[in-house]
């Protein structure tokens, strides 16, 4: 991570900015958000009674999401510090400490995290599992529709197996609604706003960096 | 409330699983809303406790 001096001070501290998300990662995040919202709208609005031609919109945004996730996976492993998102024993302990303090039980304060805190890592793991389930089942479901690239062939699986594939797709998609609500809630919380701004503009201030992160665990 | 959707073949026979029940969707939304409400409440209480402690110390 690079640190670049700014012309205008964004906070009461030195005005230095710490880069948190590169432009490519921010583009990935917002494209993924658009694809996810289109997928959810085209999936759930017809169920709620809003009738429109949803299928083309749904499979195309699904394929876009699959491509974006594949790019993210390759980029995370080859060019980014994927270990920053890995869950360790410490993260479980820190999460328990945060819960205990939030519920008024006191105890030790959670230690400052690296780039991502324990809750963010667990959230990422849960969302990754759901997205992979929805994409894997969705890609199989593409076998049942005609597209410009292939002809439908619904005989790959038995009726019972298709039923299981549809159950996985439906349950994972509905669980993603819960996760998305939680994500938007945290993004809008005033105490988390500096992270939302970093996903828009790419940086946090030096003051935010030293207040919220352990410099030994995230060297900026 | 049903957890799964089933359909019967036009030729009769056993019911077959065709997907998760969409009746579950409001429950997933409610779970998200419940988490948000509980977290917001816990954070507000924690902030109030911290203010109280600060007043007592200072």
């Amino acid at each position: 991570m690079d640190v670049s001096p700014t012309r205008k001070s964004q906070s009461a501290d030195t005005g230095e900015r710490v880069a948190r998300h590169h432009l490519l990662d921010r583009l990935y995040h917002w494209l993924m958000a658009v694809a996810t919202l289109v997928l959810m709208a085209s999936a759930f609005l017809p169920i709620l009674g809003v009738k429109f031609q949803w299928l083309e919109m749904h499979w195309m945004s699904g394929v876009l999401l699959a491509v974006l996730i594949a790019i993210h996976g390759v980029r995370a492993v080859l060019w980014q510090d994927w270990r920053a998102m890995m869950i360790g024993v410490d993260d479980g302990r820190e999460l328990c400490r945060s819960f205990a303090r939030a519920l008024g039980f006191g105890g030790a304060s959670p230690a400052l995290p690296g780039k991502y805190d324990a809750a963010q890592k667990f959230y990422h793991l849960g969302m990754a599992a759901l997205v992979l389930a929805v994409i894997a089942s969705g890609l199989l479901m593409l076998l049942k529709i005609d597209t410009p690239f292939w002809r439908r062939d619904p005989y790959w699986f038995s009726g019972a197996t298709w039923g299981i594939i549809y159950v996985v797709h439906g349950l994972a998609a509905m669980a993603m609604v819960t996760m998305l609500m939680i994500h938007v809630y945290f993004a809008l919380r005033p105490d988390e706003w500096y992270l939302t701004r970093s996903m828009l503009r790419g940086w946090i201030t030096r003051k935010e960096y030293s207040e919220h992160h352990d410099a030994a665990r995230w060297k900026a | 409330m049903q957890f799964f959707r089933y359909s019967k073949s036009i030729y009769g026979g056993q019911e077959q699983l065709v997907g998760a029940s969409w009746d579950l969707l409001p429950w997933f939304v409610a779970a998200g809303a419940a988490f948000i409400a509980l977290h917001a409440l816990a954070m507000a209480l924690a902030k109030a406790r911290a203010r109280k402690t600060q007043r007592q110390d200072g």
Side-chain angles (χ1 to χ4, degrees):
Chain A
M1 289 291 148
D2 56 324
V3 179
S4 54
T6 59
R7 267 179 263 172
K8 280 188 229 166
S9 175
Q10 297 294 320
S11 67
D13 63 340
T14 60
E16 271 187 313
R17 291 173 180 179
V18 176
R20 184 173 166 90
H21 299 297
H22 290 286
L23 179 63
L24 207 58
D25 300 315
R26 284 178 276 149
L27 279 174
Y28 158 75
H29 178 269
W30 293 112
L31 273 175
M32 188 184 65
V34 169
T36 303
L37 289 176
V38 171
L39 280 163
M40 285 184 175
S42 55
F44 297 125
L45 288 180
I47 291 164
L48 297 172
V50 183
K51 300 296 177 198
F52 60 96
Q53 294 292 324
W54 61 272
L55 184 59
E56 282 207 344
M57 192 191 288
H58 194 74
W59 78 255
M60 284 180 186
S61 46
V63 169
L64 172 66
L65 181 67
V67 170
L68 288 169
I69 295 291
I71 292 170
H72 172 64
V74 171
R75 185 167 153 70
V77 170
L78 297 183
W79 286 285
Q80 293 182 303
D81 181 16
W82 56 271
R83 289 175 197 84
M85 196 52 95
M86 288 296 107
I87 295 170
V89 180
D90 289 356
D91 293 305
R93 190 189 57 218
E94 297 308 323
L95 200 62
C96 289
R97 282 180 176 173
S98 299
F99 270 128
R101 286 183 73 83
L103 295 173
F105 295 121
S109 299
L112 286 176
K115 187 172 181 182
Y116 301 103
D117 66 25
Q120 288 169 325
K121 291 179 188 179
F122 280 105
Y123 179 89
H124 180 267
L125 179 68
M127 199 58 161
L130 291 176
V131 169
L132 290 178
V134 104
I135 285 177
S137 54
L139 290 177
L140 292 174
M141 286 156 77
L142 286 175
L143 291 167
K144 291 188 100 175
I145 58 169
D146 282 328
T147 75
F149 310 108
W150 61 83
R151 303 288 299 167
R152 70 192 292 268
D153 183 3
Y155 303 107
W156 269 51
F157 301 111
S158 69
T161 308
W162 277 119
I164 293 167
I165 291 168
Y166 275 76
V167 166
V168 169
H169 197 73
L171 287 178
M174 286 189 281
M176 279 177 69
V177 173
T178 311
M179 296 292 269
L180 187 71
M181 288 171 71
I182 293 169
H183 184 65
V184 172
Y185 160 70
F186 279 110
L188 295 177
R189 276 189 64 86
D191 50 343
E192 305 282 340
W193 175 243
Y194 77 102
L195 291 175
T196 308
R197 188 196 56 222
S198 78
M199 193 48 85
L200 290 164
R201 305 183 72 175
W203 50 264
I204 59 175
T205 65
R206 171 63 62 178
K207 184 167 177 262
E208 288 159 348
Y209 170 73
S210 51
E211 274 175 4
H212 297 282
H213 300 280
D214 180 350
R217 297 168 79 184
W218 176 28
K219 291 179 175 59
Chain B
M1 186 183 67
Q2 290 203 318
F3 290 99
F4 303 106
R5 287 177 289 127
Y6 297 91
S7 82
K8 212 165 200 168
S9 158
I10 52 169
Y11 306 108
Q14 271 193 319
E15 281 196 328
Q16 198 154 51
L17 180 68
V18 291
S21 169
W22 301 127
D23 292 349
L24 297 173
L25 183 57
W27 290 95
F28 280 97
V29 174
F35 178 92
I36 290 167
L38 287 174
H39 185 272
L41 182 68
M43 288 297 108
L45 290 175
K47 208 174 245 180
R49 269 196 308 272
R51 261 202 301 266
K52 196 176 162 189
T53 314
Q54 221 167 21
R55 262 202 308 269
Q56 282 168 351
D57 292 347

